[in-house]
Coordinates of all heavy atoms in Angstrom, one line a residue:
M1 N 0.9 -1.2 0.0 CA 0.0 0.0 0.0 C 0.9 1.2 0.0 O 2.1 1.2 0.4 CB -0.9 0.0 1.2 CG -2.4 0.1 0.9 SD -3.4 0.3 2.3 CE -4.0 -1.4 2.6
G2 N 0.4 2.4 -0.4 CA 1.1 3.6 -0.6 C 1.9 4.2 0.6 O 2.0 3.5 1.6
G3 N 2.4 5.4 0.4 CA 3.3 5.9 1.4 C 2.6 6.9 2.3 O 1.4 6.7 2.6
L4 N 3.3 7.8 2.9 CA 2.8 8.7 4.0 C 1.6 9.5 3.4 O 1.7 10.0 2.2 CB 3.9 9.6 4.4 CG 5.0 9.0 5.3 CD1 6.0 10.1 5.6 CD2 4.4 8.4 6.5
L5 N 0.6 9.7 4.2 CA -0.5 10.5 3.8 C -0.2 12.0 4.0 O 0.5 12.4 4.9 CB -1.8 10.2 4.6 CG -2.3 8.8 4.5 CD1 -3.7 8.7 5.2 CD2 -2.5 8.4 3.0
S6 N -0.6 12.8 3.1 CA -0.4 14.3 3.2 C -1.3 14.8 4.3 O -2.2 14.1 4.8 CB -0.9 15.0 1.9 OG -2.3 14.8 1.7
E7 N -1.0 16.0 4.8 CA -1.8 16.6 5.8 C -3.3 16.6 5.5 O -4.2 16.3 6.3 CB -1.4 18.0 6.1 CG -1.9 18.6 7.4 CD -1.2 19.9 7.7 OE1 -0.1 20.2 7.2 OE2 -1.8 20.7 8.6
E8 N -3.6 16.9 4.2 CA -5.0 17.0 3.7 C -5.6 15.6 3.7 O -6.8 15.4 4.1 CB -5.0 17.6 2.3 CG -6.4 17.9 1.9 CD -6.4 18.4 0.5 OE1 -5.4 18.5 -0.2 OE2 -7.5 18.8 0.0
A9 N -4.9 14.6 3.2 CA -5.4 13.3 3.2 C -5.7 12.7 4.6 O -6.7 12.0 4.8 CB -4.4 12.3 2.5
R10 N -4.8 13.1 5.6 CA -5.1 12.7 7.0 C -6.4 13.4 7.5 O -7.2 12.8 8.2 CB -3.9 13.0 7.9 CG -2.6 12.3 7.5 CD -1.6 12.3 8.7 NE -1.3 13.6 9.1 CZ -0.3 14.4 8.6 NH1 0.4 14.0 7.6 NH2 0.0 15.6 9.1
R11 N -6.5 14.7 7.2 CA -7.7 15.4 7.6 C -9.0 14.7 7.0 O -9.9 14.5 7.7 CB -7.6 16.8 7.2 CG -8.7 17.7 7.8 CD -8.6 19.2 7.6 NE -7.4 19.7 6.9 CZ -7.4 20.0 5.6 NH1 -8.5 19.9 4.9 NH2 -6.3 20.4 5.1
D12 N -8.9 14.4 5.7 CA -10.1 13.7 5.1 C -10.3 12.4 5.8 O -11.5 12.0 6.0 CB -9.8 13.6 3.6 CG -9.8 14.9 2.8 OD1 -10.3 15.9 3.5 OD2 -9.5 14.9 1.7
A13 N -9.3 11.6 6.0 CA -9.5 10.3 6.7 C -10.1 10.5 8.0 O -11.0 9.7 8.4 CB -8.2 9.6 6.7
L14 N -9.6 11.4 8.8 CA -10.1 11.6 10.2 C -11.5 12.0 10.2 O -12.2 11.7 11.2 CB -9.2 12.6 10.9 CG -7.9 12.1 11.4 CD1 -6.9 13.3 11.9 CD2 -8.0 11.1 12.6
A15 N -12.0 12.7 9.2 CA -13.4 13.1 9.2 C -14.3 11.9 9.2 O -15.5 12.0 9.6 CB -13.6 14.0 7.9
G16 N -13.8 10.8 8.7 CA -14.6 9.6 8.6 C -14.3 8.6 9.7 O -14.8 7.4 9.7
L17 N -13.5 9.0 10.7 CA -13.0 8.0 11.8 C -13.5 8.6 13.1 O -12.7 9.3 13.8 CB -11.5 7.9 11.7 CG -10.9 7.0 10.6 CD1 -9.4 7.1 10.7 CD2 -11.3 5.6 10.8
A18 N -14.6 8.2 13.5 CA -15.2 8.7 14.8 C -14.2 8.4 16.0 O -13.8 7.2 16.1 CB -16.6 8.0 15.1
G19 N -13.9 9.4 16.8 CA -13.2 9.2 18.0 C -11.7 9.3 17.8 O -10.9 9.4 18.8
W20 N -11.2 9.4 16.6 CA -9.7 9.4 16.4 C -9.3 10.8 16.2 O -10.0 11.7 15.6 CB -9.4 8.6 15.1 CG -9.6 7.1 15.3 CD1 -10.7 6.4 15.2 CD2 -8.6 6.1 15.7 NE1 -10.5 5.1 15.5 CE2 -9.2 4.9 15.8 CE3 -7.2 6.2 16.0 CZ2 -8.5 3.7 16.2 CZ3 -6.5 5.1 16.3 CH2 -7.2 3.8 16.4
S21 N -8.0 11.1 16.6 CA -7.4 12.4 16.3 C -5.9 12.1 16.0 O -5.4 10.9 16.0 CB -7.5 13.3 17.6 OG -6.8 12.7 18.7
E22 N -5.3 13.2 15.6 CA -3.9 12.9 15.1 C -2.9 13.4 16.2 O -3.2 14.4 16.9 CB -3.7 13.5 13.7 CG -2.8 14.6 13.5 CD -2.8 15.0 12.1 OE1 -3.2 14.2 11.1 OE2 -2.3 16.1 11.8
A23 N -1.8 12.8 16.3 CA -0.7 13.2 17.2 C -0.3 14.6 16.9 O -0.4 15.0 15.7 CB 0.4 12.2 17.2
A24 N 0.3 15.3 17.8 CA 0.7 16.7 17.6 C 1.7 16.8 16.4 O 1.6 17.8 15.7 CB 1.3 17.3 18.9
D25 N 2.5 15.8 16.2 CA 3.5 15.9 15.1 C 2.9 15.3 13.8 O 3.7 15.2 12.8 CB 4.8 15.2 15.6 CG 4.6 13.7 15.8 OD1 3.5 13.1 15.6 OD2 5.6 13.1 16.2
G26 N 1.7 14.9 13.8 CA 1.0 14.3 12.6 C 1.5 13.0 12.2 O 1.2 12.5 11.2
K27 N 2.3 12.3 13.1 CA 2.9 11.0 12.7 C 2.1 9.8 13.2 O 2.6 8.6 13.1 CB 4.4 11.0 13.2 CG 5.3 11.9 12.4 CD 6.7 11.8 12.9 CE 7.6 12.8 12.2 NZ 7.6 12.7 10.7
A28 N 1.0 10.0 13.9 CA 0.2 8.8 14.3 C -1.3 9.3 14.5 O -1.6 10.4 14.6 CB 0.7 8.4 15.7
L29 N -2.1 8.2 14.5 CA -3.6 8.4 14.7 C -3.8 7.8 16.1 O -3.4 6.7 16.4 CB -4.4 7.7 13.7 CG -4.2 8.0 12.2 CD1 -5.1 7.2 11.4 CD2 -4.4 9.6 12.0
N30 N -4.5 8.6 17.0 CA -4.7 8.1 18.3 C -6.2 8.0 18.7 O -7.0 8.9 18.3 CB -4.1 9.2 19.3 CG -2.6 9.2 19.1 OD1 -1.9 8.3 18.8 ND2 -2.1 10.4 19.3
R31 N -6.5 7.0 19.5 CA -7.9 7.0 20.1 C -7.8 6.2 21.4 O -7.1 5.2 21.5 CB -8.9 6.3 19.2 CG -10.3 6.2 19.8 CD -11.4 5.7 18.9 NE -12.6 5.6 19.7 CZ -13.8 5.2 19.4 NH1 -14.0 4.8 18.1 NH2 -14.8 5.2 20.2
T32 N -8.5 6.7 22.4 CA -8.7 5.9 23.6 C -10.1 5.3 23.6 O -11.1 6.0 23.5 CB -8.6 6.8 24.9 OG1 -7.2 7.3 24.9 CG2 -8.8 6.0 26.1
F33 N -10.2 4.0 23.6 CA -11.4 3.3 23.7 C -11.8 3.0 25.2 O -10.9 2.6 25.9 CB -11.4 2.0 23.0 CG -11.2 2.1 21.5 CD1 -10.0 2.1 20.9 CD2 -12.4 2.1 20.7 CE1 -9.9 2.2 19.5 CE2 -12.3 2.2 19.3 CZ -11.0 2.2 18.7
T34 N -13.0 3.2 25.6 CA -13.4 2.9 26.9 C -14.6 1.9 26.9 O -15.5 2.1 26.2 CB -13.9 4.1 27.7 OG1 -12.9 5.1 27.7 CG2 -14.3 3.8 29.1
F35 N -14.4 0.8 27.6 CA -15.4 -0.3 27.6 C -16.1 -0.4 28.9 O -15.8 0.3 29.9 CB -14.7 -1.6 27.2 CG -14.1 -1.6 25.8 CD1 -12.7 -1.2 25.6 CD2 -14.9 -1.7 24.7 CE1 -12.2 -1.1 24.3 CE2 -14.3 -1.6 23.4 CZ -13.0 -1.3 23.2
R36 N -16.9 -1.4 29.1 CA -17.7 -1.6 30.3 C -16.8 -2.1 31.4 O -17.0 -1.8 32.6 CB -18.9 -2.5 30.1 CG -20.1 -1.7 29.6 CD -21.3 -2.7 29.5 NE -21.2 -3.6 28.3 CZ -21.7 -3.3 27.2 NH1 -22.5 -2.3 26.9 NH2 -21.6 -4.2 26.2
D37 N -15.9 -3.0 31.1 CA -15.0 -3.6 32.1 C -13.8 -4.2 31.4 O -13.6 -4.1 30.2 CB -15.8 -4.7 32.8 CG -16.4 -5.7 31.9 OD1 -15.9 -5.8 30.7 OD2 -17.4 -6.4 32.2
F38 N -12.9 -4.7 32.2 CA -11.7 -5.3 31.7 C -11.9 -6.4 30.7 O -11.2 -6.5 29.6 CB -10.8 -5.9 32.8 CG -9.5 -6.5 32.3 CD1 -8.4 -5.8 31.9 CD2 -9.5 -7.9 32.2 CE1 -7.3 -6.4 31.4 CE2 -8.4 -8.6 31.7 CZ -7.3 -7.8 31.3
N39 N -12.9 -7.2 30.9 CA -13.2 -8.4 30.0 C -13.5 -7.9 28.6 O -13.1 -8.4 27.7 CB -14.3 -9.2 30.6 CG -14.5 -10.5 29.9 OD1 -13.6 -11.2 29.7 ND2 -15.8 -10.7 29.4
E40 N -14.3 -6.8 28.6 CA -14.7 -6.3 27.3 C -13.5 -5.6 26.6 O -13.3 -5.7 25.4 CB -15.9 -5.3 27.4 CG -16.5 -5.0 26.1 CD -17.8 -4.2 26.3 OE1 -18.8 -4.8 26.7 OE2 -17.7 -2.9 26.1
A41 N -12.7 -4.9 27.4 CA -11.5 -4.2 26.8 C -10.5 -5.3 26.2 O -10.0 -5.2 25.1 CB -10.8 -3.4 27.9
F42 N -10.4 -6.4 27.0 CA -9.5 -7.4 26.5 C -10.0 -8.2 25.3 O -9.3 -8.6 24.4 CB -9.1 -8.4 27.6 CG -7.8 -9.1 27.4 CD1 -6.6 -8.4 27.5 CD2 -7.8 -10.4 27.0 CE1 -5.4 -9.1 27.1 CE2 -6.6 -11.1 26.7 CZ -5.4 -10.4 26.8
G43 N -11.4 -8.3 25.3 CA -12.0 -8.9 24.1 C -11.8 -8.1 22.9 O -11.5 -8.6 21.8
F44 N -11.9 -6.8 23.0 CA -11.6 -5.9 21.9 C -10.1 -6.1 21.5 O -9.8 -6.2 20.2 CB -11.8 -4.4 22.4 CG -11.2 -3.4 21.4 CD1 -11.8 -3.1 20.3 CD2 -9.9 -2.8 21.8 CE1 -11.2 -2.1 19.4 CE2 -9.4 -1.9 20.9 CZ -10.0 -1.6 19.7
M45 N -9.2 -6.1 22.4 CA -7.8 -6.3 22.0 C -7.6 -7.6 21.3 O -6.8 -7.7 20.4 CB -6.9 -6.2 23.3 CG -7.0 -4.8 23.9 SD -6.0 -4.6 25.3 CE -4.3 -4.3 24.6
T46 N -8.2 -8.7 21.8 CA -8.1 -10.0 21.2 C -8.5 -10.0 19.7 O -7.8 -10.4 18.8 CB -8.9 -11.1 22.0 OG1 -8.4 -11.0 23.3 CG2 -8.7 -12.4 21.4
R47 N -9.7 -9.4 19.5 CA -10.2 -9.3 18.1 C -9.3 -8.4 17.3 O -9.1 -8.7 16.1 CB -11.7 -8.8 18.1 CG -12.7 -9.8 18.7 CD -14.0 -9.2 19.1 NE -15.0 -10.1 19.6 CZ -15.0 -10.7 20.8 NH1 -14.0 -10.4 21.7 NH2 -15.9 -11.6 21.1
A48 N -8.9 -7.3 17.8 CA -8.1 -6.4 17.0 C -6.8 -7.0 16.7 O -6.2 -6.8 15.6 CB -7.9 -5.0 17.8
A49 N -6.2 -7.7 17.7 CA -4.9 -8.4 17.4 C -5.0 -9.4 16.3 O -4.1 -9.4 15.4 CB -4.5 -9.1 18.7
L50 N -6.1 -10.1 16.2 CA -6.2 -11.1 15.1 C -6.3 -10.4 13.7 O -5.7 -10.8 12.8 CB -7.5 -12.0 15.3 CG -7.4 -12.9 16.5 CD1 -8.7 -13.6 16.8 CD2 -6.2 -13.9 16.3
A51 N -7.1 -9.3 13.7 CA -7.2 -8.5 12.5 C -5.9 -7.9 12.1 O -5.5 -7.8 10.9 CB -8.3 -7.4 12.7
A52 N -5.1 -7.4 13.1 CA -3.8 -6.8 12.9 C -2.8 -7.8 12.3 O -2.1 -7.5 11.3 CB -3.3 -6.2 14.1
E53 N -2.9 -9.0 12.9 CA -1.9 -10.0 12.4 C -2.3 -10.4 11.0 O -1.4 -10.6 10.2 CB -1.9 -11.2 13.4 CG -1.0 -12.3 13.1 CD 0.5 -11.8 13.1 OE1 0.8 -10.7 13.5 OE2 1.4 -12.6 12.6
K54 N -3.5 -10.5 10.7 CA -4.0 -10.9 9.4 C -3.5 -10.0 8.3 O -3.1 -10.4 7.2 CB -5.5 -11.0 9.3 CG -6.0 -11.9 8.2 CD -7.6 -12.0 8.2 CE -8.0 -13.0 9.2 NZ -9.5 -13.2 9.2
S55 N -3.5 -8.7 8.6 CA -3.0 -7.7 7.6 C -1.5 -7.3 7.8 O -1.1 -6.4 7.2 CB -3.9 -6.4 7.7 OG -3.8 -5.9 9.0
D56 N -0.9 -7.9 8.8 CA 0.5 -7.6 9.0 C 0.7 -6.1 9.3 O 1.7 -5.5 8.9 CB 1.5 -8.1 7.9 CG 2.9 -8.1 8.3 OD1 3.2 -8.3 9.5 OD2 3.8 -7.9 7.4
H57 N -0.2 -5.6 10.1 CA -0.1 -4.2 10.5 C -0.5 -4.1 11.9 O -1.7 -4.4 12.2 CB -0.9 -3.3 9.6 CG -0.5 -1.8 9.7 ND1 0.7 -1.3 9.3 CD2 -1.2 -0.8 10.2 CE1 0.8 0.0 9.6 NE2 -0.4 0.3 10.1
H58 N 0.3 -3.6 12.8 CA 0.1 -3.8 14.2 C 0.0 -2.5 15.0 O 0.7 -1.5 14.7 CB 1.2 -4.6 14.8 CG 1.4 -6.0 14.1 ND1 2.2 -6.2 13.0 CD2 0.8 -7.1 14.4 CE1 2.1 -7.5 12.6 NE2 1.2 -8.0 13.4
P59 N -0.9 -2.4 16.0 CA -1.0 -1.2 16.8 C 0.0 -1.1 17.9 O 0.6 -2.1 18.4 CB -2.4 -1.4 17.4 CG -2.5 -2.9 17.6 CD -1.8 -3.5 16.4
D60 N 0.3 0.2 18.3 CA 0.9 0.5 19.6 C -0.2 0.8 20.5 O -1.1 1.6 20.2 CB 1.8 1.8 19.5 CG 3.0 1.7 18.6 OD1 3.0 0.7 17.8 OD2 3.8 2.5 18.5
W61 N -0.3 0.1 21.6 CA -1.4 0.3 22.5 C -1.1 0.0 23.9 O -0.1 -0.7 24.3 CB -2.6 -0.5 22.0 CG -2.4 -2.0 21.8 CD1 -1.3 -2.8 22.0 CD2 -3.4 -2.9 21.2 NE1 -1.6 -4.1 21.7 CE2 -2.8 -4.2 21.1 CE3 -4.7 -2.7 20.7 CZ2 -3.5 -5.3 20.6 CZ3 -5.4 -3.9 20.2 CH2 -4.7 -5.1 20.2
R62 N -2.0 0.4 24.8 CA -1.8 0.3 26.3 C -3.2 0.1 26.9 O -4.1 0.9 26.6 CB -1.2 1.6 26.8 CG -1.0 1.6 28.3 CD -0.2 2.9 28.7 NE 0.1 2.9 30.1 CZ -0.6 3.6 30.9 NH1 -1.5 4.4 30.6 NH2 -0.2 3.6 32.2
N63 N -3.3 -0.9 27.7 CA -4.6 -1.2 28.4 C -4.4 -0.9 29.9 O -3.5 -1.3 30.5 CB -4.9 -2.8 28.2 CG -5.9 -3.3 29.2 OD1 -5.6 -4.2 29.9 ND2 -7.1 -2.7 29.2
V64 N -5.4 -0.1 30.4 CA -5.5 0.1 31.8 C -6.9 -0.2 32.1 O -7.8 0.6 31.7 CB -5.1 1.6 32.2 CG1 -5.3 1.8 33.7 CG2 -3.7 1.9 31.7
Y65 N -7.1 -1.3 32.9 CA -8.5 -1.7 33.3 C -9.4 -1.7 32.1 O -9.3 -2.6 31.2 CB -9.0 -0.9 34.4 CG -10.4 -1.2 34.9 CD1 -10.9 -2.5 35.0 CD2 -11.2 -0.2 35.3 CE1 -12.1 -2.8 35.4 CE2 -12.5 -0.4 35.8 CZ -13.0 -1.7 35.8 OH -14.3 -2.0 36.2
K66 N -10.4 -0.8 32.0 CA -11.4 -0.9 30.9 C -11.1 0.0 29.8 O -12.0 0.2 28.9 CB -12.8 -0.7 31.5 CG -13.0 0.6 32.1 CD -14.4 0.7 32.6 CE -14.7 2.1 33.3 NZ -16.1 2.2 33.7
T67 N -9.9 0.6 29.8 CA -9.6 1.5 28.6 C -8.4 0.9 27.8 O -7.6 0.2 28.4 CB -9.2 2.9 29.1 OG1 -7.9 2.8 29.8 CG2 -10.1 3.5 30.0
V68 N -8.5 1.2 26.5 CA -7.3 0.8 25.6 C -6.9 2.1 24.9 O -7.7 2.6 24.1 CB -7.8 -0.3 24.7 CG1 -6.6 -0.7 23.8 CG2 -8.3 -1.5 25.4
E69 N -5.7 2.6 25.1 CA -5.2 3.7 24.4 C -4.4 3.1 23.1 O -3.5 2.3 23.3 CB -4.1 4.5 25.2 CG -4.7 5.2 26.4 CD -3.6 5.8 27.2 OE1 -2.5 6.1 26.7 OE2 -3.8 5.9 28.5
V70 N -4.8 3.6 22.0 CA -4.2 3.1 20.7 C -3.5 4.2 20.0 O -4.0 5.3 19.9 CB -5.3 2.5 19.8 CG1 -4.7 1.9 18.6 CG2 -6.2 1.4 20.5
S71 N -2.4 3.9 19.5 CA -1.6 4.8 18.6 C -1.3 4.0 17.3 O -0.6 3.0 17.4 CB -0.4 5.4 19.3 OG 0.3 6.2 18.4
L72 N -1.7 4.5 16.2 CA -1.4 3.8 14.9 C -0.5 4.7 14.0 O -0.7 5.8 13.7 CB -2.7 3.6 14.1 CG -3.8 2.8 14.9 CD1 -5.0 2.6 14.0 CD2 -3.2 1.4 15.3
S73 N 0.6 4.0 13.7 CA 1.5 4.6 12.7 C 2.2 3.5 11.9 O 2.2 2.3 12.4 CB 2.6 5.5 13.3 OG 3.5 4.8 14.0
T74 N 2.7 3.8 10.7 CA 3.4 2.8 10.0 C 4.9 3.0 10.2 O 5.5 4.0 9.7 CB 3.0 3.0 8.5 OG1 1.6 2.8 8.3 CG2 3.7 1.9 7.6
H75 N 5.4 2.2 11.0 CA 6.8 2.4 11.5 C 7.8 2.4 10.3 O 8.7 3.2 10.2 CB 7.2 1.3 12.5 CG 6.2 1.3 13.6 ND1 5.6 0.1 14.1 CD2 5.7 2.2 14.4 CE1 4.8 0.4 15.1 NE2 4.8 1.7 15.3
D76 N 7.5 1.5 9.3 CA 8.4 1.4 8.2 C 8.4 2.7 7.4 O 9.4 3.0 6.7 CB 8.0 0.3 7.2 CG 8.1 -1.1 7.9 OD1 8.8 -1.2 8.9 OD2 7.5 -2.1 7.4
A77 N 7.3 3.4 7.4 CA 7.2 4.7 6.6 C 7.4 5.9 7.5 O 7.6 7.0 6.9 CB 5.8 4.8 5.9
G78 N 7.5 5.8 8.8 CA 7.7 6.9 9.6 C 6.5 7.9 9.8 O 6.7 9.1 10.0
G79 N 5.3 7.3 9.7 CA 4.1 8.2 9.9 C 2.9 7.4 9.5 O 2.8 6.2 9.5
V80 N 1.9 8.2 9.2 CA 0.5 7.7 8.9 C 0.3 7.3 7.4 O 0.6 8.2 6.5 CB -0.6 8.7 9.3 CG1 -2.0 8.2 9.0 CG2 -0.5 9.0 10.8
T81 N -0.1 6.1 7.1 CA -0.4 5.7 5.8 C -1.8 5.1 5.7 O -2.5 5.0 6.8 CB 0.6 4.5 5.3 OG1 0.3 3.3 6.1 CG2 2.0 4.9 5.5
A82 N -2.3 4.7 4.6 CA -3.6 4.2 4.4 C -3.8 2.9 5.3 O -4.9 2.6 5.7 CB -3.9 3.8 3.0
R83 N -2.7 2.2 5.6 CA -2.8 1.0 6.5 C -3.3 1.4 7.8 O -4.0 0.6 8.5 CB -1.5 0.3 6.5 CG -0.9 0.0 5.1 CD 0.4 -0.9 5.3 NE 0.0 -2.2 5.7 CZ 0.9 -3.2 5.9 NH1 2.2 -2.9 5.7 NH2 0.6 -4.4 6.3
D84 N -2.9 2.5 8.3 CA -3.3 3.0 9.7 C -4.8 3.4 9.6 O -5.5 3.1 10.6 CB -2.4 4.2 10.1 CG -1.0 3.7 10.2 OD1 -0.7 2.8 11.0 OD2 -0.2 4.3 9.4
V85 N -5.2 4.0 8.6 CA -6.6 4.4 8.4 C -7.5 3.2 8.4 O -8.5 3.1 9.0 CB -6.8 5.3 7.2 CG1 -8.3 5.5 6.9 CG2 -6.0 6.6 7.3
A86 N -7.0 2.1 7.7 CA -7.8 0.9 7.5 C -7.9 0.2 8.9 O -9.0 -0.3 9.2 CB -7.1 0.0 6.5
L87 N -6.8 0.2 9.7 CA -6.8 -0.5 10.9 C -7.7 0.2 11.9 O -8.4 -0.3 12.7 CB -5.4 -0.7 11.5 CG -5.3 -1.5 12.9 CD1 -6.0 -2.8 12.8 CD2 -3.9 -1.6 13.3
A88 N -7.6 1.6 11.9 CA -8.5 2.4 12.7 C -10.0 2.1 12.5 O -10.8 2.0 13.4 CB -8.2 3.9 12.5
Q89 N -10.3 2.0 11.2 CA -11.7 1.7 10.8 C -12.1 0.3 11.3 O -13.2 0.1 11.9 CB -11.8 1.7 9.3 CG -13.3 1.6 8.8 CD -14.1 2.8 9.3 OE1 -13.7 3.9 9.0 NE2 -15.3 2.5 9.9
V90 N -11.2 -0.7 11.2 CA -11.5 -2.0 11.7 C -11.7 -2.0 13.2 O -12.6 -2.6 13.7 CB -10.4 -3.0 11.3 CG1 -10.5 -4.3 12.1 CG2 -10.4 -3.3 9.8
M91 N -10.9 -1.2 13.9 CA -11.0 -1.1 15.4 C -12.3 -0.5 15.8 O -13.0 -0.9 16.7 CB -9.8 -0.4 16.0 CG -8.5 -1.2 15.9 SD -7.2 -0.2 16.6 CE -6.2 -1.5 17.4
N92 N -12.7 0.5 15.0 CA -14.0 1.2 15.3 C -15.2 0.2 15.1 O -16.1 0.1 16.0 CB -14.2 2.4 14.4 CG -13.6 3.6 15.0 OD1 -12.9 3.6 16.0 ND2 -13.9 4.7 14.4
E93 N -15.1 -0.7 14.1 CA -16.1 -1.6 13.9 C -16.2 -2.7 14.9 O -17.2 -3.1 15.4 CB -16.0 -2.3 12.4 CG -16.4 -1.3 11.3 CD -15.8 -1.6 9.9 OE1 -15.3 -2.8 9.8 OE2 -15.9 -0.8 9.1
I94 N -15.0 -3.1 15.4 CA -14.9 -4.1 16.4 C -15.5 -3.6 17.7 O -16.3 -4.2 18.4 CB -13.5 -4.6 16.7 CG1 -13.0 -5.4 15.5 CG2 -13.4 -5.4 18.0 CD1 -11.5 -5.7 15.5
A95 N -15.1 -2.3 18.1 CA -15.7 -1.7 19.3 C -17.1 -1.5 19.2 O -17.9 -1.7 20.2 CB -14.9 -0.4 19.5
M96 N -17.6 -1.1 18.1 CA -19.1 -0.9 17.8 C -19.9 -2.2 18.1 O -20.9 -2.2 18.8 CB -19.3 -0.5 16.4 CG -20.7 0.1 16.1 SD -20.7 1.9 16.2 CE -19.8 2.3 14.7
R97 N -19.3 -3.3 17.6 CA -20.0 -4.6 17.8 C -20.0 -5.1 19.2 O -20.9 -5.7 19.7 CB -19.3 -5.7 16.9 CG -20.0 -5.8 15.5 CD -19.4 -6.8 14.7 NE -18.3 -6.4 13.8 CZ -17.1 -6.9 13.8 NH1 -16.7 -7.9 14.5 NH2 -16.2 -6.4 12.9
L98 N -19.0 -4.6 20.0 CA -18.9 -5.0 21.4 C -19.9 -4.1 22.2 O -20.3 -4.5 23.3 CB -17.5 -4.9 21.9 CG -16.6 -6.0 21.4 CD1 -15.1 -5.6 21.8 CD2 -16.9 -7.3 22.0
G99 N -20.1 -2.9 21.8 CA -20.8 -2.0 22.6 C -22.3 -2.1 22.8 O -22.9 -3.1 22.3
Ligands
LIG1 N1 3.0 -2.5 12.0 N2 2.3 -0.5 12.6 C1 3.1 -1.2 11.9 N3 4.1 -0.6 11.2 C2 4.9 -1.3 10.4 O1 5.8 -0.7 9.8 C3 4.8 -2.7 10.4 C4 3.8 -3.3 11.2 N4 3.7 -4.6 11.3 C5 4.6 -5.5 10.6 C6 5.6 -4.8 9.7 N5 5.6 -3.5 9.7 C7 6.4 -5.7 9.0 O2 5.8 -6.1 7.8 C8 7.8 -5.2 8.6 O3 8.4 -4.6 9.6 C9 8.6 -6.3 7.9

């Protein structure tokens, strides 16, 4: 898949990604998901991990009890690419289904 997204392309992508914002340096997409409890948060992570592995594109994330802080960037490219937008969308869909 292609290279780094322009500032404009990132803005357009974020307009369709509920809950996501961009890091101050524009090099990552961030969202904190909040679930009902730890079990649901970990269920989200399990499903997202399988999707990430299938597409060979992996999140940076941190779980604290019922929250999961996610930061998406394409390490090989040094910033945000279409692969991050795609994974953000998949994570939103997984969270929606659990909610
Ligand atoms: N995940 N977020 C992210 N960024 C990468 O660059 C990346 C990855 N998962 C796997 C991966 N790269 C590998 O394909 C390469 O490092 C070989």
Side-chain angles (χ1 to χ4, degrees):
M1 235 187 264
L4 291 180
L5 298 186
S6 67
E7 194 173 342
E8 187 183 6
R10 294 198 305 274
R11 186 170 4 95
D12 289 349
L14 282 168
L17 285 174
W20 292 82
S21 59
E22 115 180 341
D25 64 5
K27 291 185 184 301
L29 303 180
N30 297 328
R31 178 171 176 182
T32 298
F33 292 90
T34 303
F35 298 96
R36 275 184 285 263
D37 52 24
F38 175 79
N39 190 51
E40 196 172 280
F42 202 75
F44 166 79
M45 295 179 83
T46 303
R47 290 163 176 79
L50 293 173
E53 184 60 10
K54 199 177 281 184
S55 61
D56 193 29
H57 194 67
H58 303 90
D60 296 11
W61 53 6
R62 173 172 188 260
N63 163 237
V64 179
Y65 177 38
K66 62 181 179 176
T67 71
V68 182
E69 292 173 27
V70 181
S71 180
L72 301 181
S73 73
T74 302
H75 305 127
D76 297 343
V80 177
T81 70
R83 306 185 72 179
D84 301 299
V85 175
L87 182 54
Q89 188 64 52
V90 166
M91 287 180 149
N92 275 9
E93 284 161 13
I94 292 168
M96 192 96 74
R97 269 184 265 128
L98 288 170

